[in-house]
Amino acid sequence: EAQVTQNPRYLITVTGKKLTVTCSQNMNHEYMSWYRQDPGLGLRQIYYSMNVEVTDKGDVPEGYKVSRKEKRNFPLILESPSPNQTSLYFCASSFGDRYTGELFFGEGSRLTVL
Amino acid sequence: GQNIDQPTEMTATEGAIVQINCTYQTSGFNGLFWYQQHAGEAPTFLSYNVLDGLEEKGRFSSFLSRSKGYSYLLLKELQMKDSASYLCAPDSGGGADGLTFGKGTHLIIQP
């Protein structure tokens, strides 16, 4: 089954404790992206990747890191989480070397930073 | 940069028709996406308009006017399961803008 898989789905952590949210897709998509979604602010892009070893900042990259060592994986790293990073996070992927075309979303990861 | 405007919330009656509008201003434009998102779930693709005009897909139709920077999503024969948020997303065609989503319209369907 074609899908985007995120882990963990739910996480409660404390300020400053490094964490990684994994994202994997099995559709051989070149484009992958991370979004956060907050009430009243909608979906905002954190980072995106056009292909392996190619990543770029989105609208809200501060406090986050990403890597794209393999085509299928695009982990989101919070080196020192803070309470303002409490949010619902979505990973998404798409065909082609650009994001034209349908975006396929993971189920979301709800993160709470205390 | 991009500016996307859509109503925050709309209410409609089961069986009726509702139109959700979206206006946008982008530095470039390839087309426009509409996504549906149920509460707590991931967005799912509804439509992608490239050319001006109306595209119909079952109960859902989407309209685009490139010259006016305007689109709408038309939902017919509303069902309770259509209660969701509807996200408008202009495709600016590359560069650092990425794909920017509007804040979404929360549609409430009443019996």
Side-chain angles (χ1 to χ4, degrees):
Chain A
E1 180 189 352
Q3 59 186 3
V4 179
T5 304
Q6 296 178 226
N7 279 296
R9 295 286 314 284
Y10 302 92
L11 179 64
I12 300 174
T13 189
V14 296
T15 299
K17 185 176 181 182
K18 179 180 178 180
L19 69 91
T20 299
V21 186
T22 63
C23 175
S24 180
Q25 50 91 7
N26 63 0
M27 295 169 279
N28 202 34
H29 285 168
E30 292 185 354
Y31 177 83
M32 297 186 74
S33 181
W34 276 103
Y35 295 87
R36 61 177 290 174
Q37 188 171 38
D38 304 287
L41 297 177
L43 275 169
R44 294 180 293 167
Q45 191 178 52
I46 303 170
Y47 270 94
Y48 63 97
S49 170
M50 300 291 202
N51 213 326
V52 175
E53 302 292 0
V54 180
T55 63
D56 268 305
K57 296 178 180 179
D59 297 321
V60 288
E62 294 77 20
Y64 304 93
K65 287 175 56 176
V66 292
S67 67
R68 188 91 183 272
K69 294 183 169 52
E70 305 166 283
K71 198 170 189 178
R72 64 183 293 124
N73 295 324
F74 191 45
L76 180 69
I77 303 158
L78 286 73
E79 293 272 2
S80 183
S82 63
N84 65 11
Q85 292 178 298
T86 293
S87 187
L88 178 59
Y89 292 86
F90 288 103
C91 179
S93 70
S94 180
F95 285 109
D97 61 358
R98 297 167 64 180
Y99 48 79
T100 50
E102 177 185 350
L103 271 175
F104 294 82
F105 285 85
E107 292 182 296
S109 297
R110 187 169 291 281
L111 172 65
T112 301
V113 183
L114 301 175
Chain B
Q2 301 197 59
N3 188 32
I4 305 164
D5 191 33
Q6 50 181 133
T8 303
E9 186 173 286
M10 299 181 69
T11 302
T13 304
E14 192 176 14
I17 299 173
V18 71
Q19 177 175 312
I20 301 173
N21 296 324
C22 172
T23 58
Y24 60 90
Q25 291 176 306
T26 60
S27 53
F29 187 78
N30 275 352
L32 188 137
F33 289 93
W34 282 97
Y35 282 82
Q36 180 191 58
Q37 185 179 25
H38 286 99
E41 298 182 9
T44 54
F45 171 83
L46 286 178
S47 65
Y48 181 54
N49 290 61
V50 176
L51 302 176
D52 284 358
L54 185 68
E55 291 196 7
E56 299 186 59
K57 192 185 294 185
R59 294 190 299 114
F60 292 7
S61 302
S62 54
F63 172 85
L64 177 67
S65 170
R66 297 173 71 110
S67 62
K68 295 182 179 178
Y70 169 65
S71 175
Y72 68 72
L73 183 68
L74 190 70
L75 291 73
K76 303 176 186 176
E77 301 169 18
L78 286 169
Q79 302 175 9
M80 298 303 292
K81 67 179 182 179
D82 297 330
S83 292
S85 286
Y86 292 86
L87 313 179
C88 167
D91 173 3
S92 68
D97 285 343
L99 181 65
T100 300
F101 287 83
K103 294 180 181 178
T105 298
H106 183 209
L107 177 64
I108 300 167
I109 309 298
Q110 295 178 335

